[in-house]
C-alpha cells in the first residue's frame, strides 16, 4: 500500500482492564480493583483520548468498541465522561457502530439508559453457557437467571443489536449440553452470536489443570471434568454451524454468527486491516500499516498520563513491510468465511495474488484446504479445522 | 630467552582416572610457578575449549611451558602436557605420552585405583615413561591415603611410599610435587647438532598463522628459516616461526632444540600435509629414519552427519577437515541418503567422541546438524565369497546373499564395590555379555571381566553402569576382534516408505523389542500431519511392530481480534519455523531429532 492515506476511516478500541473477578480461563489484561483505582484509570484514559485531538483530525470514526475486562463495571458518570471526551476529540460518524462488552450481574437499568444516551448501539453480553454448573466451573460471576434479566432489560431499553458470547468445549461439556445452550440462546433471537471453542491459555487456572498436553491431563484429571477430545470438539463446531444456519444465523467468521446485516463491523475491520486506534492499558493499534501496543503496567500507565508523557505509553511498535502486509492480508482475511478477494489483493498490492502465492495456493487447493469461489479464495471445512496450518503457509520469510 | 641446558628440561604429562583431579593439579602447578598470576587464572587453564570447561573434562591434549626455581637454586623448564581421561580419548593420551619422559599419576585418596588408572599407567609404561604417583584429595573426609598407597604398590606395582599427599583443590603440598618432578622425572636426551628429528604430537589450524604444528624435538635444532620436510607426507616448507606454549598462548622464541617441546609454523598450505605422528626433519639434511610415531587408531563407532540445511554441505566438509587436523581419530567420507541428502559417514572412537565432534561442529562452525543413529563396523560374509565391512546399515546386502555376519567384541573391565556386583552383572547379561571372571582388589572391591559386543556398549552403557552402581563403578575396555552373531537389519517405514537414515542393525534376539520401542518413540516425535501416518518396523518384508500417527484434526485459533494480531503472527511464524526443521521423506515430514531417537530407547 502506498503511504498516501486512502482510507480515512478510523476504528476506536477502548480497554477497560477491570472485572469483578477473574474467570478460570481468562488471560485478558484485566482484574478486580477498588473504586478509587478505577476512577484514576478512567480519568487518565480521558486524558489520553483528549491527547489525540490533533493527530487524528483527518479521520472519521466508523466504529467504537469498549472491551475489557468488564466495561459495564464503570459507573454512569464515568461512562458519560468517557463519551464526552470521545465526542470532543474525534469526529464520530452518525451511523457509527458503538459496542460495549458487558457481564450479566454488573448491569442496571440506569446504566443501560446511560449507554443509550451516550450513543452506544450494540451490546455484547458474555453469557458463555446456559448451564449454571458450567458457569460455575468457568468461574463466571453470574447465573443463567442473571443473564435473562439483563437481556430482557436490554430489549426493554430498545437495544436492537445484541451479541451473546458463548464458549464450547468446556470441561465436562457434552454435545447435548452444548446444543441445549445454543438452542436456548437462539430462542432469544439475539442479532449476533459468538461461539468460541475454549482455548486453554498459559497463566490461567485452567492451564494448571488442563495444560498443553491432553495426554498428561488425562492422567492427572481423574477427579476433575475432562476437556472434550478433538473429535467431539470438531463435531460441536460443525453442529453449531448447522444448527445456527437453520435459525438464519450466517457464519461469517471462524467463530462468529449473525443475522443478515448484523455482522460486527468493528471486528470485520480487524480482519480487513482497517486503521484502528487502541486507547487504554495494553491496547493495540494499527494506523497506516504501523502496529503499536501500549504498556500493560496499570500504575505506570496512569503515572505517565498524569505527567503528560503520552509518547511513552507505546511499548512495542513495528512498521509493517510490504511482505508483512501481504501475509496479514492472507491470514486475517482467511478468517472470514467468504474468504479473501483476489481483486482486493491486486488493488491493495498492485500484484496478482497468484504471482505472490501461486505455488502455495496450488498446494493448498490440492490438499483440499482452500477453494476458489467466484473471485474469492476461502477455507474449506477441513481448512477451518486446521486453519493455523493453512495460514502459516502464507508467511514468506 | 637464554639457551636452556637439556638437563634442566622436564617433559611430563599428568595421567589419572576421570575426575581424580588431573586438570586441577595442572592449574595449581601453573599457578605455583607463577606462569600466571592468580588473577589471570581461570579455573582449569588448560581446558581452553569452551566445551571442555562446561563439561569439566579434557578432550584435547594441551601443552604449557613453565619455569620453576627449584630448592637446589637451579632454574628448570617444565613442559606439561595435559591429557584426556575418558576412555574414548586414549588415543590422545598415547600421543601426548610420546612427547614426554615421565608422567605424574594422580590417584584419588578416597577412591583409589580405578579401571582407567590402570589403563593409563600401562600406556605410560609402554612408552617407557617414569611414573611418579601423587595422592590427591587428601582434604576429603573419606580420604584414606595409606590404603591407596598400598593399593598402588600392590595392584600397579610401582613404589608409592614417598608419593606426595596433596590437595590440588586447596593447594596443599604442591611444592613437593614440583620438587619430585625435578628429582624423579628424567631429563630428555638428544644431540642439538644432529639432523633434526621432531615428532608431531598435535596440530591446529589458526586463521592468521595457518597450520600450527606441535612437536617434541628429539634430535637437532629448528629455527626460523629452516627448510623442513615432513617425512610421511613428503611436504616441504620454510619455517616462519618457532616458539613454546605459554598458558593459553603461543610465545615465539629463536630456536627449539633437542629435548624441547614447542610449536612450528611454516608456509604450509594444505592442512593435510601435517599428519599427527609424522616426523619433521631438515630438507637438506634429513635424519636417517622417522620416529616410530603412533599406531593409527581406527574409529569404532560410525554415524551419518548431515547439514540441516543442504546448502551447507561444503561448509560441513570444510569444518570436518579442520577438525580432523587436530583430531586424527575422526574419519569421514561422503555419503548420500534418500531421506537426508548429502552428508558424511563419520567414524569416531566412541559415543563421547561423537558427541564432542557434533557439538564442536555446531558451536565452533555454526552448523546445524542431523545425526543418524550410531553403529559399529560389521563384517558381512556373502555367499559368493565376498567380504564387506559395513559402516552404514543401508548398505547391507539382501539377506539371501549373506552367508553370515560378525560383530566387534570388546573385553571390558569393570571396577566395582562388592555391593553392586549383582546389579552390574545383570546389566552385562542384558547386554549379551559373557562373564570371564572376577578379581578381588580388596575385600570390598572387585574387577569384573566381561566379553561384550561393542554395539551393546556404544549407546548408554556408561550411563547405565553409573546409575546401577550409584556412580561407583568405573569401566575400561579394549577391542577383542570379531565374532559371528545373529544380526538383522531393522528398517523403519513411514507411510509405507522405508526411511534409509532410520535403519539400524540389531541382534536378532532384541529386534522385536527394539522395533516396538522405536515405533513408540517415533510416534511421539512425529507431529500430526494432514493424513494418517503408519509407522512400521520391519525385518526384510516382515513387519514386526506398528504404530500410527493420527491425522491432524484441529489446529485453529478461535479468536483473533485487534490485540491478538501480532501474537497470532508470532504463533504462525513459530509453526512455520518448526516446519523448516523438518525433513521431508516422501510426503511425510520428520523432525530432525527423530533420527537420533533410536539412541534414547532405553530412557523409558
Amino acid at each position: 500500500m502506498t503511504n498516501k492515506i486512502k482510507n480515512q476511516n478510523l476504528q476506536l478500541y477502548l480497554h477497560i482492564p477491570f472485572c469483578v473477578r477473574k474467570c478460570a480461563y481468562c488471560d485478558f489484561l484485566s482484574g478486580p480493583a477498588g473504586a478509587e483505582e478505577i476512577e484514576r484509570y478512567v480519568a487518565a484514559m480521558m486524558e489520553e483520548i483528549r491527547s489525540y485531538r490533533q493527530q487524528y483530525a483527518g479521520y472519521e470514526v466508523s466504529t467504537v468498541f469498549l472491551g475489557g475486562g468488564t466495561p459495564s463495571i464503570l459507573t454512569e458518570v464515568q461512562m458519560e465522561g468517557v463519551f464526552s471526551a470521545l465526542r470532543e476529540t474525534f469526529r464520530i460518524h452518525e451511523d457509527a457502530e458503538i459496542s460495549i462488552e458487558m457481564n450479566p450481574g454488573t448491569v442496571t437499568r440506569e446504566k443501560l439508559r446511560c449507554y443509550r444516551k451516550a450513543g452506544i448501539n450494540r451490546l455484547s453480553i458474555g453469557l458463555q453457557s446456559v448451564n449454571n454448573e458450567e458457569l460455575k466451573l468457568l468461574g463466571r460471576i453470574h447465573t443463567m437467571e442473571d443473564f435473562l434479566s439483563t437481556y430482557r432489560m436490554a430489549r426493554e431499553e430498545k437495544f436492537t443489536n445484541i451479541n451473546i458470547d458463548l464458549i464450547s468445549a468446556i470441561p465436562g461439556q457434552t454435545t447435548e449440553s452444548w446444543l441445549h445452550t445454543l438452542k436456548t440462546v437462539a430462542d432469544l433471537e439475539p442479532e449476533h452470536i459468538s461461539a468460541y471453542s475454549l482455548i486453554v491459555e498459559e497463566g490461567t487456572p485452567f492451564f494448571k489443570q488442563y495444560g498443553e498436553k491432553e495426554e498428561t491431563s488425562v492422567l492427572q484429571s481423574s477427579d476433575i471434568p475432562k476437556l472434550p477430545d478433538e473429535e467431539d470438539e470438531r463435531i460441536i463446531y460443525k453442529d453449531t454451524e448447522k444448527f445456527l444456519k437453520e435459525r438464519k444465523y450466517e457464519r461469517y467468521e471462524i467463530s462468529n454468527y449473525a443475522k443478515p446485516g448484523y455482522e460486527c463491523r468493528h471486528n470485520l475491520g480487524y480482519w480487513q486491516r482497517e486503521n484502528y486506534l487502541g486507547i487504554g492499558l495494553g491496547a493495540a493499534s494499527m494506523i497506516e500499516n504501523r502496529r503499536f501496543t501500549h504498556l500493560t503496567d496499570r500504575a505506570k500507565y496512569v503515572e505517565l498520563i498524569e505527567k503528560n508523557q503520552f509518547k511513552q505509553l507505546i511499548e512495542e511498535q513495528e512498521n509493517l513491510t510490504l511482505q508483512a502486509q501481504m501475509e496479514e492480508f492472507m491470514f486475517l482475511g482467511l478468517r472470514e468465511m467468504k474468504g479473501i478477494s483476489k481483486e482486493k489483493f491486486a488493488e491493495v498490492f498492485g500484484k496478482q495474488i497468484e504471482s505472490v502465492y501461486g505455488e502455495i495456493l496450488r498446494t493448498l487447493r490440492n490438499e483440499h484446504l482452500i477453494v476458489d469461489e467466484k473471485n474469492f479464495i476461502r477455507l474449506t471445512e477441513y481448512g477451518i479445522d486446521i486453519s493455523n496450518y493453512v495460514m502459516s503457509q502464507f508467511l514468506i520469510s | 630467552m637464554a639457551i636452556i641446558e637439556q638437563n634442566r628440561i622436564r617433559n611430563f604429562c599428568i595421567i589419572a582416572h576421570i575426575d581424580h583431579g588431573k586438570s586441577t593439579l595442572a592449574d595449581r602447578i601453573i599457578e605455583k610457578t607463577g606462569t600466571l598470576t592468580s588473577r589471570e587464572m581461570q579455573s582449569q587453564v588448560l581446558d581452553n575449549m569452551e566445551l571442555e570447561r562446561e563439561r569439566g573434562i579434557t578432550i584435547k591434549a594441551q601443552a604449557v611451558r613453565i619455569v620453576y626455581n627449584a630448592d637446589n637454586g637451579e632454574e628448570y623448564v617444565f613442559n606439561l602436557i595435559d591429557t584426556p581421561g575418558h576412555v574414548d580419548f586414549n588415543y590422545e593420551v598415547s600421543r601426548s605420552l610420546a612427547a614426554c619422559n615421565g608422567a605424574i599419576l594422580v590417584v584419588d585418596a578416597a577412591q583409589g585405583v580405578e579401571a582407567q588408572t590402570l589403563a593409563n599407567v600401562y600406556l605410560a609404561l609402554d612408552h617407557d615413561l617414569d611414573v611418579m604417583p601423587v595422592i590427591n584429595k587428601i582434604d576429603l573426609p573419606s580420604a584414606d591415603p595409606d590404603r591407596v598407597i598400598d593399593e598402588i604398590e600392590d595392584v600397579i606395582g610401582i613404589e608409592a611410599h614417598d608419593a606426595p599427599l596433596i590437595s590440588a583443590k586447596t593447594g596443599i603440598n604442591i611444592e613437593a610435587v614440583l620438587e619430585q618432578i625435578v628429582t624423579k622425572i628424567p631429563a630428555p636426551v638428544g644431540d642439538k647438532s644432529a639432523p633434526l628429528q621432531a615428532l608431531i604430537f598435535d596440530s591446529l589450524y589458526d586463521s592468521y598463522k595457518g597450520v600450527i604444528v606441535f612437536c617434541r624435538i628429539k634430535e637437532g635444532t629448528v629455527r626460523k628459516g629452516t627448510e623442513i620436510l615432513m617425512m610421511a607426507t613428503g611436504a616441504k616448507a620454510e619455517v616462519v616461526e618457532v616458539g613454546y606454549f605459554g598458558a593459553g598462548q603461543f610465545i615465539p622464541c629463536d630456536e627449539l632444540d633437542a629435548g624441547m617441546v614447542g610449536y612450528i609454523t611454516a608456509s604450509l598450505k594444505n592442512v593435510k600435509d601435517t599428519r599427527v605422528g609424522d616426523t619433521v626433519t631438515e630438507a637438506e639434511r634429513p635424519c636417517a629414519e622417522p620416529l616410530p610415531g603412533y599406531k593409527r587408531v581406527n574409529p569404532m563407532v560410525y554415524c551419518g552427519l548431515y547439514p540441516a540445511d543442504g546448502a551447507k554441505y561444503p561448509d560441513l566438509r570444510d569444518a570436518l577437515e579442520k577438525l580432523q587436523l587436530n583430531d586424527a581419530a575422526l574419519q569421514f567420507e561422503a555419503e548420500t541418503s534418500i531421506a537426508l541428502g548429502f552428508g558424511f559417514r563419520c567414524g569416531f572412537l566412541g559415543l563421547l567422541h561423537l558427541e564432542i565432534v557434533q557439538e564442536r561442529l555446531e558451536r565452533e562452525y555454526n552448523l546445524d546438524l542431523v545425526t543418524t543413529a550410531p553403529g559399529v563396523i560389521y563384517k558381512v560374509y556373502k555367499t559368493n565369497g565376498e567380504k564387506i565391512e559395513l559402516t552404514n546399515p543401508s548398505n547391507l546386502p539382501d539377506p539371501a546373499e549373506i552367508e553370515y555376519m560378525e560383530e566387534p567384541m570388546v573385553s571390558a573391565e569393570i571396577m566395582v564395590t562388592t555391593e553392586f556386583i549383582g546389579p552390574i552383572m545383570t546389566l552385562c547379561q542384558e547386554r549379551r555379555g559373557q562373564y570371564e571372571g572376577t578379581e578381588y582388589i580388596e575385600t570390598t572391591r572387585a574387577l569384573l571381566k566381561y566379553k561384550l559386543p561393542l554395539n551393546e556398549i556404544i549407546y548408554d552403557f556408561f550411563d547405565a553402569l553409573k546409575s546401577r552402581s550409584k556412580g561407583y563403578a568405573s569401566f575400561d575396555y579394549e577391542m577383542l576382534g570379531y565374532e559371528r552373531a545373529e544380526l538383522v537389519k531393522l528398517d523403519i517405514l513411514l507411510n509405507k516408505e522405508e526411511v534409509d537414515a532410520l535403519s539400524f542393525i540389531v541382534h536378532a534376539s532384541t529386534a522385536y523389542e527394539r522395533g516396538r520401542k522405536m515405533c513408540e518413540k517415533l510416534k511421539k516425535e512425529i507431529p500430526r500431519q494432514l493424513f494418517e501416518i503408519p509407522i512400521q518396523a520391519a525385518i526384510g518384508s516382515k513387519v514386526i511392530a506398528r504404530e500410527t500417527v493420527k491425522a491432524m484434526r484441529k489446529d485453529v485459533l478461535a479468536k483473533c481480534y485487534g490485540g491478538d494480531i501480532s501474537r497470532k503472527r508470532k504463533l504462525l511464524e513459530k509453526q512455520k519455523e518448526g516446519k523448516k526443521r523438518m525433513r521431508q521423506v516422501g510426503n511425510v515430514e520428520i523432525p530432525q531429532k527423530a533420527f537420533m531417537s533410536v539412541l534414547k530407547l532405553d530412557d523409558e
Side-chain angles (χ1 to χ4, degrees):
Chain A
M1 207 181 314
T2 57
N3 285 333
K4 214 172 135 202
I5 299 162
K6 285 183 189 157
N7 182 354
Q8 301 276 46
N9 275 350
L10 181 66
Q11 307 195 147
L12 296 180
Y13 174 80
L14 281 80
H15 190 67
I16 310 297
F18 303 109
C19 51
V20 176
R21 191 182 70 207
K22 201 110 171 114
C23 300
Y25 58 88
C26 172
D27 79 326
F28 286 107
L29 182 54
S30 171
E36 254 174 68
E37 284 173 86
I38 298 179
E39 179 60 30
R40 247 185 111 186
Y41 177 82
V42 173
M45 194 162 79
M46 283 158 60
E47 280 307 302
E48 189 199 338
I49 294 170
R50 292 196 177 97
S51 75
Y52 295 125
R53 187 188 297 239
Q54 264 152 31
Q55 210 177 334
Y56 293 98
Y59 292 86
E60 186 171 48
V61 172
S62 54
T63 67
V64 179
F65 196 102
L66 275 87
T70 305
S72 53
I73 211 168
L74 298 195
T75 65
E76 291 93 313
V77 178
Q78 286 165 336
M79 197 58 84
E80 277 162 19
V82 168
F83 272 88
S84 62
L86 284 174
R87 293 193 187 277
E88 276 168 42
T89 309
F90 296 100
R91 252 185 316 129
I92 301 180
H93 194 278
E94 58 179 302
D95 291 328
E97 175 194 273
I98 304 178
S99 311
I100 183 168
E101 286 184 332
M102 52 173 54
N103 263 356
T106 59
V107 191
T108 61
R109 194 172 293 276
E110 289 67 35
K111 280 187 182 176
L112 288 168
R113 285 181 179 159
C114 158
Y115 297 165
R116 278 208 69 85
K117 242 175 81 189
I120 292 173
N121 51 27
R122 185 175 181 270
L123 304 180
S124 177
I125 310 175
L127 169 61
Q128 321 309 359
S129 167
V130 304
N131 178 328
N132 282 340
E133 288 292 310
E134 289 173 6
L135 288 175
K136 204 169 145 194
L137 190 122
L138 290 172
R140 301 291 294 176
I141 55 163
H142 58 84
T143 61
M144 176 59 185
E145 293 68 36
D146 295 331
F147 164 79
L148 283 174
S149 98
T150 299
Y151 185 79
R152 283 191 197 109
M153 226 177 347
R155 287 305 194 196
E156 282 161 20
E157 295 303 322
K158 307 278 185 276
F159 281 93
T160 56
N161 187 356
I162 299 180
N163 165 56
I164 297 176
D165 272 350
L166 298 175
I167 292 181
S168 65
I170 297 167
Q173 190 174 49
T174 60
T175 321
E176 292 71 42
S177 90
W178 168 249
L179 283 174
H180 174 64
T181 287
L182 263 190
K183 186 176 179 306
T184 313
V185 168
D187 285 346
L188 293 169
E189 299 206 41
E191 285 68 28
H192 191 285
I193 295 173
S194 296
Y196 304 111
S197 170
L198 178 77
I199 307 173
V200 178
E201 300 278 7
E202 225 168 308
T204 63
F206 263 19
F207 192 77
K208 283 184 206 119
Q209 283 176 310
Y210 298 108
E212 276 170 327
K213 292 242 161 112
E214 306 106 69
E215 284 167 45
T216 51
S217 67
V218 170
L219 294 173
Q220 294 161 356
S221 62
S222 50
D223 53 338
I224 55 169
K226 288 187 184 72
L227 286 172
D229 68 21
E230 280 186 357
E231 207 58 46
D232 286 346
E233 202 262 1
R234 286 294 95 191
I235 291 169
I236 284 177
Y237 245 66
K238 269 150 209 171
D239 285 354
T240 305
E241 188 185 12
K242 204 171 129 210
F243 176 81
L244 290 178
K245 195 164 190 149
E246 285 164 17
R247 298 298 191 96
K248 304 281 178 266
Y249 290 92
E250 187 71 32
R251 182 188 202 179
Y252 69 99
E253 192 257 2
I254 290 178
S255 308
N256 283 289
Y257 299 82
K259 294 264 178 87
Y262 285 96
E263 295 83 7
C264 177
R265 280 155 53 196
H266 184 84
N267 287 341
L268 280 172
Y270 290 137
W271 306 316
Q272 294 168 3
R273 308 191 65 250
E274 297 287 341
N275 288 318
Y276 60 93
L277 178 66
I279 295 166
L281 191 66
S285 307
M286 189 192 67
I287 306 288
E288 311 304 342
N289 285 312
R290 175 174 159 253
R291 290 200 178 279
F292 52 96
T293 310
H294 282 171
L295 78 180
T296 54
D297 177 333
R298 198 172 71 216
K300 190 130 187 252
Y301 170 83
V302 172
E303 197 187 305
L304 286 171
I305 289 178
E306 286 170 355
K307 288 187 194 153
N308 274 324
Q309 292 167 330
F310 296 105
K311 287 230 166 79
Q312 291 180 41
L313 294 177
I314 294 173
E315 196 175 61
E316 269 178 64
Q317 62 165 323
E318 185 193 3
N319 287 311
L320 299 175
T321 60
L322 193 67
Q323 186 187 310
Q325 292 169 33
M326 287 190 214
E327 292 169 1
E328 283 191 358
F329 184 97
M330 299 305 290
F331 77 71
L332 291 172
L334 284 172
R335 294 194 69 86
E336 283 190 68
M337 293 299 104
K338 73 172 194 310
I340 49 147
S341 154
K342 296 180 200 173
E343 275 167 20
K344 193 177 169 195
F345 187 96
E347 185 191 310
V348 174
F349 299 110
K351 278 184 201 174
Q352 292 301 314
I353 191 167
E354 298 288 338
S355 74
V356 181
Y357 287 120
E359 204 186 315
I360 293 160
L361 291 170
R362 266 192 298 283
T363 309
L364 292 172
R365 279 180 196 121
N366 288 338
E367 292 172 336
H368 304 291
L369 294 169
I370 58 168
V371 67
D372 293 64
E373 212 163 60
K374 289 169 201 155
N375 241 318
F376 284 80
I377 298 169
R378 65 168 177 86
L379 294 175
T380 61
E381 200 174 296
Y382 186 37
I384 296 169
D385 291 346
I386 58 164
S387 54
N388 285 349
Y389 167 80
V390 179
M391 291 167 180
S392 69
Q393 304 304 306
F394 292 100
L395 301 192
I396 301 165
S397 46
Chain B
M1 182 144 217
I3 302 293
I4 307 131
E5 288 170 48
Q6 225 171 41
N7 61 12
R8 303 275 167 73
I9 297 175
R10 297 291 182 273
N11 296 323
F12 63 96
C13 59
I14 307 179
I15 55 178
H17 182 74
I18 198 156
D19 276 344
H20 279 196
K22 185 168 39 78
S23 294
T24 316
L25 176 60
D27 284 355
R28 214 50 69 215
I29 290 173
I30 293 167
E31 191 189 58
K32 283 281 174 197
T33 51
T35 308
L36 290 177
T37 64
S38 43
R39 215 168 59 85
E40 290 168 322
M41 268 308 278
Q42 222 177 331
S43 179
Q44 308 205 341
V45 176
L46 290 181
D47 290 346
N48 64 16
M49 241 190 277
E50 187 187 12
L51 208 56
E52 291 181 320
R53 289 227 172 101
E54 260 173 44
R55 293 189 172 217
I57 55 170
T58 307
I59 301 161
K60 290 290 304 168
Q62 302 280 341
V64 66
R65 171 179 168 132
I66 297 158
V67 176
Y68 173 63
N69 290 302
D71 289 353
N72 62 14
E74 299 284 349
E75 190 174 82
Y76 289 83
V77 167
F78 290 175
N79 287 305
L80 160 59
I81 294 158
D82 194 14
T83 59
H86 192 278
V87 58
D88 275 11
F89 300 109
N90 260 345
Y91 173 63
E92 293 271 342
V93 178
S94 112
R95 280 160 52 180
S96 322
L97 297 180
C100 300
N101 303 97
I104 301 177
L105 172 70
V106 181
V107 184
D108 185 307
Q111 293 185 12
V113 174
E114 298 277 4
Q116 278 279 233
T117 315
L118 287 173
N120 281 326
V121 169
Y122 295 145
L123 262 178
L125 296 176
D126 278 352
H127 285 81
D128 289 330
L129 302 194
D130 286 15
V131 177
M132 165 195 146
V134 162
I135 314 297
N136 191 22
K137 303 197 188 181
I138 55 153
D139 55 320
L140 287 183
S142 55
D144 189 356
D146 291 339
R147 175 183 66 85
V148 171
I149 286 168
D150 288 344
E151 207 174 274
I152 293 171
E153 296 198 334
D154 295 349
V155 180
I156 305 178
I158 55 173
E159 166 74 34
H161 268 88
D162 56 351
L165 305 182
I166 69 161
S167 163
K169 201 171 122 201
T170 60
I172 299 170
N173 229 357
I174 302 302
E175 296 78 5
V177 179
L178 295 170
E179 276 303 311
Q180 283 201 2
I181 292 170
V182 172
T183 56
K184 291 202 155 180
I185 290 174
V189 287
D191 180 1
K192 282 186 209 182
S193 53
L196 177 66
Q197 193 184 31
L199 180 69
I200 305 180
F201 66 91
D202 204 351
S203 64
L204 66 82
Y205 185 82
D206 179 278
S207 41
Y208 299 106
K209 295 186 171 178
V211 183
I212 302 176
V213 177
F214 293 17
C215 55
R216 155 97 191 269
I217 315 293
K218 292 271 189 188
E219 303 283 348
T221 305
V222 61
R223 58 175 69 83
K224 186 179 171 182
T226 307
E227 185 80 15
I228 53 170
L229 167 71
M230 305 293 173
M231 295 187 77
T233 64
K236 284 181 191 175
E238 193 182 301
V239 174
V240 174
E241 184 179 304
V242 299
Y244 55 88
F245 308 105
Q249 56 189 330
F250 298 107
I251 299 170
C253 64
D254 294 338
E255 60 176 46
L256 294 173
D257 53 36
M260 294 175 77
V261 171
Y263 70 90
I264 299 173
T265 68
S267 50
L268 285 162
K269 293 199 180 58
N270 200 332
V271 295
K272 288 179 184 155
D273 288 340
T274 54
R275 193 183 293 162
V276 169
D278 196 358
T279 301
V280 184
T281 188
E282 285 159 69
E284 293 188 357
R285 193 175 59 133
C287 56
E289 54 185 39
L291 293 161
Y294 315 103
K295 242 194 298 176
R296 182 157 183 81
V297 276
N298 291 316
M300 295 199 282
V301 176
Y302 279 82
C303 79
L305 285 184
Y306 292 82
D309 171 4
K312 291 277 175 72
Y313 174 76
D315 298 14
L316 177 58
R317 186 182 47 217
D318 203 44
L320 283 168
E321 274 175 8
K322 286 197 176 130
L323 279 187
Q324 194 183 42
L325 181 64
N326 68 351
D327 186 352
L330 168 67
Q331 290 185 9
F332 60 92
E333 64 180 49
E335 72 169 6
T336 324
S337 149
I338 299 159
L340 299 171
F342 291 103
F344 296 92
R345 176 96 343 208
C346 303
F348 305 92
L349 298 173
L351 209 61
L352 181 67
H353 186 209
L354 183 161
E355 262 180 61
I356 299 289
V357 168
Q358 191 188 345
E359 269 192 62
R360 289 188 69 187
L361 287 169
E362 286 180 348
R363 287 186 195 198
E364 295 170 29
Y365 297 90
N366 218 358
L367 291 163
D368 205 359
L369 298 175
V370 183
T371 314
T372 65
V376 301
I377 309 170
Y378 297 98
K379 286 185 180 164
V380 182
Y381 295 85
K382 292 174 67 174
T383 45
N384 65 5
E386 216 182 309
K387 184 182 135 190
I388 303 173
E389 298 219 336
L390 187 77
T391 56
N392 182 346
S394 326
N395 299 337
L396 187 74
D398 189 275
E401 295 172 27
I402 300 172
E403 175 88 44
Y404 65 95
M405 283 171 75
E406 287 181 349
E407 65 177 336
M409 302 297 289
V410 300
S411 138
E413 290 189 336
I414 301 162
M415 181 90 70
V416 65
T417 45
T418 41
E419 58 186 307
F420 296 113
I421 287 179
I424 297 302
M425 288 179 87
T426 312
L427 172 69
C428 291
Q429 271 150 26
E430 285 166 14
R431 300 301 173 100
R432 299 192 281 128
Q434 295 160 39
Y435 176 70
E436 307 239 286
T438 308
E439 267 176 35
Y440 281 85
I441 303 295
E442 329 161 77
T443 46
T444 56
R445 289 205 311 156
L447 194 66
L448 294 177
K449 294 188 173 177
Y450 268 91
K451 186 168 170 187
L452 281 157
L454 180 62
N455 77 356
E456 295 287 342
I457 60 170
I458 57 170
Y459 297 131
D460 58 350
F461 185 75
F462 194 67
D463 292 340
L465 196 68
K466 287 285 172 193
S467 72
R468 295 200 195 182
S469 67
K470 301 212 163 85
Y472 281 113
S474 68
F475 161 65
D476 191 35
Y477 63 84
E478 62 182 43
M479 295 300 294
L480 268 185
Y482 278 74
E483 268 188 17
R484 190 169 169 159
E486 266 320 293
L487 299 165
V488 291
K489 178 165 78 117
L490 200 60
D491 292 319
I492 300 295
L493 290 83
L494 293 180
N495 206 21
K496 316 262 166 156
E497 270 190 63
E498 188 182 316
V499 181
D500 60 354
L502 286 172
S503 296
F504 57 102
I505 301 218
V506 62
H507 193 260
S509 65
T510 54
Y512 281 82
E513 178 74 0
R514 287 236 156 207
R516 188 178 57 74
K517 282 186 174 171
M518 186 77 182
C519 288
E520 281 170 12
K521 185 86 183 177
L522 284 170
K523 186 186 176 181
K524 284 185 197 154
E525 300 271 5
I526 297 174
R528 292 181 171 201
Q529 288 162 42
L530 297 178
F531 42 86
E532 191 175 278
I533 305 164
I535 303 171
Q536 294 162 306
I539 299 170
S541 57
K542 190 177 169 205
V543 173
I544 58 164
R546 183 192 159 115
E547 289 283 343
T548 306
V549 178
K550 282 203 249 164
M552 191 178 0
R553 262 327 264 130
K554 179 206 161 192
D555 184 16
V556 49
L557 211 61
K559 287 187 189 192
C560 182
Y561 298 125
D564 308 319
I565 294 171
S566 303
R567 197 167 65 146
K568 165 87 171 173
R569 185 193 178 80
K570 278 177 200 142
L571 191 125
L572 294 176
E573 274 167 0
K574 213 170 130 191
Q575 190 153 355
K576 180 103 187 217
E577 197 51 42
K579 200 176 143 71
K580 262 201 227 160
R581 282 195 297 269
M582 305 262 221
R583 284 289 173 157
Q584 181 97 26
V585 178
N587 53 357
V588 180
E589 279 168 347
I590 310 172
Q592 294 177 1
K593 62 175 181 180
F595 293 98
M596 276 293 264
S597 53
V598 64
L599 262 185
K600 281 142 192 154
L601 293 183
D602 294 325
D603 284 0
E604 283 99 72

